[in-house]
Amino acid sequence: MGRKVTVATCALNQWALDFEGNLQRILKSIEIAKHKGARYRLGPELEICGYGCWDHYYESDTLLHSLQVLAALLESPITQDIICDVGMPVMHRNVRYNCRVIFLNRKILLIRPKMALANEGNYRELRWFTPWSRSRPHVDMGLDGVEIFTNASGSHHVLRKAHARVDLVTMATTKNGGIYLLANQKGCDGDRLYYDGCALIAMNGSIFAQGSQFSLDDVEVLTATLDLEDIRSYRAEISSRNLAASRVSPYPRVKVDFSLSCREDLLEPLSEPIEWKYHSPAEEISLGPACWLWDFLRRSQQAGFFLPLSGGVDSAATACLVYSMCHQVCKAVQHGNQEVLADVRTIVNQTSYTPRDPRELCGRLLTTSYMASENSSRETCDRARELAQQMGSHHIRLNIDPAVKAVVGIFSLVTGRNPAFAVRGGSSRENLALQNVQARVRMVIAYLFAQLSLWSRGAPGGLLVLGSANVDESLLGYLTKYDCSSADINPIGGISKTDLRAFVQLCVERFQLPALQSILEAPATAELEPLAHGRVSQTDEEDMGMTYAELSVYGRLRKIAKTGPYSMFCKLLNMWKDTCTPRQVADKVKRFFSKYSVNRHKMTTLTPAYHAESYSPDDNRFDLRPFLYNTRWPWQFRCIENQVLQLERRQRQDLDGVD
């Protein structure tokens, strides 16, 4: 037996319940691993059925078809002479387990159930699987002489998460030595999550192979050739480990007549350590949601996207994500990705088409529309038109006033009453209702054009409607239920306004879109109330009664820090002590929780959005809370008020003492 081993790990763009496609991607990854000289191949978690099957794990069909795929893998000549480590659900004595199945030359060597099931945030593994109770911690295995550790993951993208993942691996191998392989799923496998790859191979605290975090490649295989003697030498210096190892109980081993190394490997070149390259948050936004959009577009078999383009930051950011997607498609085709080329030809319904220019491709895939009303300004119209022109989208300008007047006219005909905006003497109820009518009419028109726009141009297919409400607006409910935020998918629904602005600024230079600069400089406005002398009289932050920066703070405290009204007040007293009095902090907290609870019902119909932020209010699975609250919060607000009165009394006493 030699001393050098070549091992492979991979990131696969699997799709829930796509057993045929999943099988082919697994086989391709094994073939690539063998071609690169690997003798062991690690795949992602539950790769045979796809990680995101959710309640389909209850179905016997999912187990049956997973076993059928496993049988096909065992029979395939591609899997011969390499140890294959695949993920699938397995039932044992009527109990379902999330398992690794390791096989070699048509023989199953080991079925290893998962012990620590993910059950926080978006994860619900304990809902479908039972953890294996017989302990096999990696630390004890390392003490017993295990030198190669594997981690098959189904880990989704969250902004700024890559550092934690890499640190976890490097710290584990720094402490105990050894080779560490991480495999992960990549892409959208059928819902709000984007699995962001980042497959890696590490040894003794250093990274030796880094996979891409975002790409359109369905199959990515990493290999590294490493010297086992380097592990043994590294461990020799850790005296505390060696003392513990001398007392450890031995683990059972599966003996196999197969070696990961060759006898004559002295001349085999070794892999060199590398520095991990991270994306900035703005770059993550540019790439992650764009890849998610591509998967959604090609797998839904639609012909493109329809986006209401308002001339504001949010819809501009959504348009930029489609434009980024077009850049990535052209780049993938240029690099010889035949799967992407085949998909784009299917989408545009042209077998000889080859995308070379992102702007030209954007003109085929993105239809934008500025839906003007009597409350729209010339400035927002011009900004939308200029951006559409620069990125090449098929742009439509239309006026919704006839439809709005028709809907309001029906109400007036039935009731004999004519509602008016507040600036024209109407009540707050009238004012809000008239705003909502405009917003909801835009949603109806968007879906009409999404279905028939291509038909009117003599082209086949329909368009996916894109929403563009950011995570902060969703958190507060600053949107009209069933307006343009109601769409097929929303690529920015998990991203804060602050991060979106940074992303749009990145796009100004990266994609040469100068129209974005004027959009960034303009105040955010819904333009649903009458103009004042032709100028915008309504801004988002004035409407909300708080800034977007404050909203991000509230969101993180509510979800991540798990604070209610009183605890949030206590934390903000210290955070904002230099800018706000206790009374001002109390008023801000009360305002937020009042508006949040009044509008929480809107989260039940929120458009499926790309999950990118840890304080997302997504009611589907991530943020499970009531949607009917006592919006006065009498007990909680009384606790805040009592605390404020005590602080104010103490402050007066301190001032009296000074006098």
Side-chain angles (χ1 to χ4, degrees), residues 578-594:
D578 295 331
T579 56
C580 296
T581 66
R583 173 65 61 187
Q584 290 171 327
V585 172
D587 290 343
K588 287 175 181 288
V589 170
K590 291 177 184 178
R591 185 182 303 115
F592 166 72
F593 272 98
S594 295

Side-chain angles (χ1 to χ4, degrees), residues 337-480:
N337 190 317
Q338 294 302 306
E339 290 84 2
V340 171
L341 179 59
D343 285 334
V344 77
R345 285 174 172 174
T346 299
I347 291 168
V348 303
N349 194 40
Q350 192 172 332
T351 57
S352 61
Y353 175 69
T354 300
R356 293 185 175 87
D357 178 16
R359 188 173 183 276
E360 186 273 338
L361 179 60
C362 187
R364 292 174 178 261
L365 300 184
L366 178 61
T367 297
T368 53
S369 175
Y370 183 82
M371 302 184 188
S373 74
E374 63 182 5
N375 302 319
S376 302
S377 66
R378 168 56 57 184
E379 290 82 2
T380 55
C381 178
D382 290 343
R383 290 197 291 268
R385 175 182 51 79
E386 289 170 7
L387 179 60
Q389 186 178 40
Q390 289 173 15
M391 63 176 47
S393 68
H394 180 84
H395 191 60
I396 300 168
R397 187 188 184 283
L398 56 88
N399 193 292
I400 66 170
D401 286 338
V404 172
K405 290 175 181 176
V407 173
V408 176
I410 293 173
F411 177 84
S412 299
L413 184 65
V414 172
T415 64
R417 302 291 299 274
N418 294 304
F421 284 104
V423 296
R424 296 170 183 165
S427 65
S428 59
R429 283 192 293 171
E430 295 169 66
N431 195 65
L432 183 59
L434 290 176
Q435 292 183 66
N436 288 343
V437 167
Q438 298 169 71
R440 289 176 176 135
V441 162
R442 286 188 171 111
M443 185 270 287
V444 173
I445 292 174
Y447 271 96
L448 176 64
F449 274 80
Q451 288 182 295
L452 295 180
S453 177
L454 294 181
W455 168 79
S456 70
R457 289 179 258 164
L463 303 174
L464 291 166
V465 179
L466 296 180
S468 53
N470 64 64
V471 72
D472 297 322
E473 291 171 346
S474 298
L475 170 66
L476 192 67
Y478 183 63
L479 50 91
T480 299

Side-chain angles (χ1 to χ4, degrees), residues 192-225:
R192 296 161 172 79
L193 306 180
Y194 178 83
Y195 300 90
D196 59 337
C198 287
L200 64 85
I201 301 175
M203 183 177 71
N204 299 343
S206 298
I207 302 294
F208 284 81
Q210 174 185 354
S212 62
Q213 188 174 11
F214 312 104
S215 82
L216 302 188
D217 296 331
D218 282 348
V219 177
E220 182 181 22
V221 178
L222 300 182
T223 60
T225 301

Side-chain angles (χ1 to χ4, degrees), residues 289-319:
C291 291
W292 183 76
L293 284 174
W294 173 247
D295 280 343
F296 215 101
L297 177 60
R298 66 191 180 115
R299 288 174 170 169
S300 65
Q301 299 181 354
Q302 297 301 297
F305 300 108
F306 182 90
L307 172 64
L309 193 62
S310 68
V313 168
D314 291 340
S315 62
T318 304

Side-chain angles (χ1 to χ4, degrees), residues 509-520:
E509 298 298 328
R510 177 159 295 185
F511 298 138
Q512 297 298 300
L513 299 172
L516 293 173
Q517 199 61 56
S518 60
I519 292 174
L520 284 169

Side-chain angles (χ1 to χ4, degrees), residues 625-643:
R625 297 167 194 258
F627 56 87
L628 178 61
Y629 283 93
N630 183 343
T631 59
R632 293 179 290 112
W633 302 85
W635 190 281
Q636 295 91 331
F637 285 4
R638 189 162 58 248
C639 289
I640 294 176
E641 186 64 22
N642 290 339
Q643 191 64 54

Side-chain angles (χ1 to χ4, degrees), residues 177-202:
I179 296 171
Y180 195 117
L181 278 69
L182 173 68
N184 194 18
Q185 189 158 307
K186 67 188 302 187
C188 167
D189 79 339
D191 74 348
R192 296 161 172 79
L193 306 180
Y194 178 83
Y195 300 90
D196 59 337
C198 287
L200 64 85
I201 301 175

